[in-house]
Amino acid sequence: MSKTALVFPGQGAQYIGMAKDLYESFEVAKEVIDKANSILDFDLISMMHDEDKKSELSKTENTQPALLTHSMAIMEILSKYESFKYDACLGLSLGEYSALTAANAMDFKDAVSLVRKRGLIMSNEVADGEGAMCAVIGANRELIEECILKLESGTVEIANYNSPAQIVISGEKAAVEEAAVLLKENGAKRAIMLDVSGPFHSSLLKGAGEKLKLELDKVDMKEPSVDVVSNVDANIHKDPDEIKAILVKQVYSSVLWEDSISKLIDEGFDRFIEIGPGKTLRAFIKKIASKKKADVEIINIDTAADVNAFIESIGGETNGN
């Protein structure tokens, strides 16, 4: 029997104009985005839609609520259709908060406020210019781990196991740059320094995790209504306190995205629906499934046209909510 997982993107998927056509085409999406705008202490709508605010949108503390809001606007539209069903949720880094919200573990109001604070905490933990991240293309885990061990000084760790073709490293800027050179010398196809504001998912952000715990303690976390796969250990956690502890650890731990998707494929999941901006997760899932020789369907729902096409594909009958 077919099993469906919803997947939610993280930072890097944002773009100017995100959710604009959703806002203009669906009243329920407009309500979600207006609600986020009223909860936050800045004009999120303008930041998502205006070209001259691109640099503001790219700041971590703004990107995170923008991504979650876009994804939840789509979820609000689709939730009106009784044929829209799913068996699990997971998200990449920030996307894990979208996954938990989609699984009814958090209220949207709490989630959008929390990720704004999460972004601020992460941005402020390490001074600008001191940390860096680098996407490594065409090198396996073992090679990257070996090269990191060869570094004479500095902190460099694996931040994201995204797919068999891409792993991201994170840490102190000079050490990450040194690692990038070493990796290319040892066979990596490419090592691309990322335009990010900090060394995310590395031990340099452990203090950020401790600060985030204080904010998570204020949130009413519930048991998820469907399984949510954690970034930190690629396992499913149901206890609210356990989920909070995992989210604290997630800030400074590796994102086990490949492991998480592999787990679901092994459990019979053959349909993945990417909810939110971009198609980054589609590319990762395609690579992971190919490595496992698994036949999976991957659907992207980003724009109003995507939403309409998906609604048509599932029958399009509302549940009356």
Side-chain angles (χ1 to χ4, degrees):
M1 186 175 177
S2 181
K3 295 171 77 174
T4 297
L6 304 185
V7 297
F8 297 89
Q11 284 185 233
Q14 72 276 3
Y15 60 85
I16 290 296
M18 60 188 291
K20 190 172 190 295
D21 60 350
L22 298 172
Y23 189 86
E24 295 170 348
S25 303
F26 299 95
E27 184 60 32
V28 290
K30 181 179 184 298
E31 289 171 3
V32 169
I33 298 166
D34 283 342
K35 185 175 183 179
N37 216 53
S38 67
I39 292 167
L40 300 168
D41 56 357
F42 63 93
D43 187 356
L44 178 68
I45 296 171
S46 173
M47 200 172 290
M48 292 166 73
H49 298 170
D50 294 353
E51 183 66 38
D52 60 355
K53 295 190 176 179
K54 187 174 182 178
S55 62
E56 289 298 305
L57 178 62
S58 68
K59 291 180 179 178
T60 300
E61 61 268 29
N62 300 330
T63 304
Q64 296 199 19
L67 287 167
L68 183 135
T69 298
H70 186 144
S71 293
M72 290 306 105
I74 295 170
M75 286 297 300
E76 191 65 21
I77 299 165
L78 298 182
S79 68
K80 305 299 180 185
Y81 294 86
E82 59 185 12
S83 49
F84 176 54
K85 300 181 186 301
Y86 49 97
D87 307 288
C89 297
L90 66 163
L92 184 73
S93 189
L94 173 278
E96 189 161 347
Y97 289 78
S98 300
L100 287 163
T101 308
N104 303 304
M106 277 195 291
D107 292 334
F108 175 70
K109 180 180 179 181
D110 288 338
V112 76
S113 178
L114 180 61
V115 299
R116 166 67 170 174
K117 292 171 184 173
R118 179 180 183 266
L120 286 166
I121 290 167
M122 291 169 67
S123 293
N124 294 332
E125 187 63 25
V126 177
D128 286 347
E130 291 186 5
M133 299 181 76
C134 175
V136 183
I137 312 298
N140 61 34
R141 299 183 181 200
E142 292 73 25
L143 174 61
I144 294 172
E145 289 164 358
E146 287 171 10
C147 287
I148 288 173
L149 288 173
K150 290 178 182 177
L151 297 175
E152 294 183 0
S153 62
T155 298
V156 180
E157 297 161 3
I158 295 179
N160 296 64
Y161 293 93
N162 286 334
S163 79
Q166 185 191 104
I167 290 174
V168 178
I169 58 175
S170 179
E172 293 170 312
K173 185 176 181 182
V176 171
E177 290 173 340
E178 183 185 349
V181 172
L182 189 59
L183 282 159
K184 284 189 283 187
E185 290 175 349
N186 282 272
K189 290 181 181 178
R190 299 174 71 192
I192 307 162
M193 299 300 293
L194 301 180
D195 183 17
V196 295
S197 58
F200 304 141
H201 299 292
S202 77
S203 59
L204 298 178
L205 262 69
K206 191 160 188 179
E210 293 165 358
K211 296 179 180 74
L212 179 62
K213 183 181 184 302
L214 300 177
E215 300 300 332
L216 279 161
D217 285 344
K218 303 172 188 175
V219 173
D220 179 22
M221 189 76 68
K222 308 174 192 71
E223 182 176 327
S225 56
V226 298
D227 289 343
V228 177
V229 184
S230 163
N231 284 186
V232 169
D233 58 9
N235 287 323
I236 293 160
H237 301 273
K238 296 183 181 294
D239 178 75
D241 290 336
E242 195 173 321
I243 291 169
K244 288 183 180 184
I246 287 287
L247 290 176
V248 169
K249 193 174 180 183
Q250 188 225 49
V251 173
Y252 56 87
S253 301
S254 301
V255 172
L256 304 183
W257 185 254
E258 181 181 352
D259 305 69
S260 298
I261 296 296
S262 292
K263 173 188 177 68
L264 291 182
I265 291 174
D266 289 343
E267 292 181 357
F269 281 78
D270 56 3
R271 190 176 191 233
F272 295 87
I273 305 176
E274 184 171 4
I275 305 281
K279 296 183 178 180
T280 302
L281 301 184
R282 176 190 182 92
F284 293 160
I285 295 167
K286 191 174 179 181
K287 292 281 188 184
I288 296 164
S290 178
K291 180 182 176 182
K292 295 178 72 65
K293 296 181 171 54
D295 184 18
V296 302
E297 179 185 13
I298 310 167
I299 298 169
N300 290 92
I301 307 179
D302 174 355
T303 65
D306 295 335
V307 170
N308 285 324
F310 182 74
I311 290 170
E312 185 177 351
S313 76
I314 62 173
E317 294 185 8
T318 65
N319 59 19
N321 291 341

